Amino acid sequence: MRPDLVRAYASLGIPFGGFKRPTEEGFYGNRFGVPGRAEKDFARFDAATVLKNIYMLFCRFAGPDEEIMDLVTTSDPIPSWLTEEFIKVQSELYEKSGFECPLCFTYCDRMRAFELMAPWINMPVTSRCLYITGKDDYVRKFPGLDEYVTGGGMKRDVPNLVDVAVLPGGHFVEEDSPEEVNSLLIRFFKE
């Protein structure tokens, strides 16, 4: 985080500071970070199926002989906000653009981002911060995360942490609890 450039920062789902993400090869973030791997996996399906699967499965690790899209089953619950209209609008956009750019920007380019941010790695995040997470977010099950958030680790790494808001919902808390998330964000950024 560049405290010299960023006055305030809100994070939804992904914790601030020194918390380490899973390193297992089957973790979706690590799989999506291998150039071309997710694109090959996704190419087996239309964009609507890929998006629906992604929104449903963000809580599992793939085995050595599995791809991420293989993890979804017909018995997986569909979030109440994941309507056919939502999928239609989103999938039409991805049908035109593909998934390569968002995957590259978010996952494949992490090493470049790490290099660019090297001077600020392991420094406290001194900007005003707000952390919003869903009560049932799979990220909260990462080993050590709840202890990091509630046991003082995040406050140590983010001394100007204004609030940790735990709202009803999962990883896509902004979809599960849109009014609450918007209210928190508006109040935070007005201060």
Side-chain angles (χ1 to χ4, degrees):
M1 172 82 64
R2 293 280 310 264
D4 56 325
L5 299 176
V6 179
R7 263 189 20 203
Y9 183 78
S11 179
L12 280 68
I14 306 299
F16 300 102
F19 180 75
K20 305 296 182 238
R21 293 190 177 105
T23 57
E24 291 91 340
E25 192 270 337
F27 176 56
Y28 82 90
N30 299 330
R31 287 281 178 94
F32 288 1
V34 176
R37 183 166 188 169
E39 293 91 327
K40 183 178 177 185
D41 183 18
F42 293 179
R44 299 178 296 148
F45 305 95
D46 62 79
T49 301
V50 170
L51 289 168
K52 192 172 183 180
N53 287 354
I54 286 173
Y55 285 123
M56 290 169 46
L57 69 64
F58 261 77
C59 60
R60 302 202 190 111
F61 286 69
D65 297 325
E66 294 177 302
E67 292 301 327
I68 297 297
M69 290 291 111
D70 297 329
L71 300 178
V72 177
T73 68
T74 55
S75 64
D76 287 321
I78 298 172
S80 61
W81 53 265
L82 189 58
T83 64
E84 289 302 319
E85 180 62 22
F86 181 93
I87 290 295
K88 180 181 181 294
V89 170
Q90 295 288 313
S91 64
E92 286 173 357
L93 296 171
Y94 282 104
E95 290 287 351
K96 292 177 188 171
S97 66
F99 291 95
E100 183 179 357
C101 187
L103 286 166
C104 182
F105 179 76
T106 307
Y107 300 103
C108 297
D109 214 23
R110 282 186 292 179
M111 289 312 296
R112 174 95 172 111
F114 184 78
E115 291 167 7
L116 291 171
M117 295 300 292
W120 296 274
I121 299 298
N122 297 322
M123 287 183 64
V125 178
T126 56
S127 304
R128 276 183 68 248
C129 293
L130 168 66
Y131 178 54
I132 302 172
T133 186
K135 181 178 75 63
D136 299 317
D137 190 341
Y138 76 94
V139 172
R140 297 186 69 208
K141 295 178 175 74
F142 289 175
L145 178 65
D146 265 344
E147 173 61 27
Y148 176 74
V149 172
T150 61
M154 186 184 291
K155 188 65 176 169
R156 177 194 67 237
D157 293 340
V158 187
N160 293 317
L161 181 65
V162 173
D163 192 13
V164 173
V166 180
L167 303 176
H171 189 59
F172 300 100
V173 68
E174 69 280 7
E175 300 292 347
D176 289 309
S177 298
E179 292 83 14
E180 295 93 331
V181 168
N182 286 336
S183 176
L184 285 165
L185 290 172
I186 290 167
R187 187 173 68 232
F188 174 72
F189 286 114
K190 278 186 173 179
E191 292 175 356

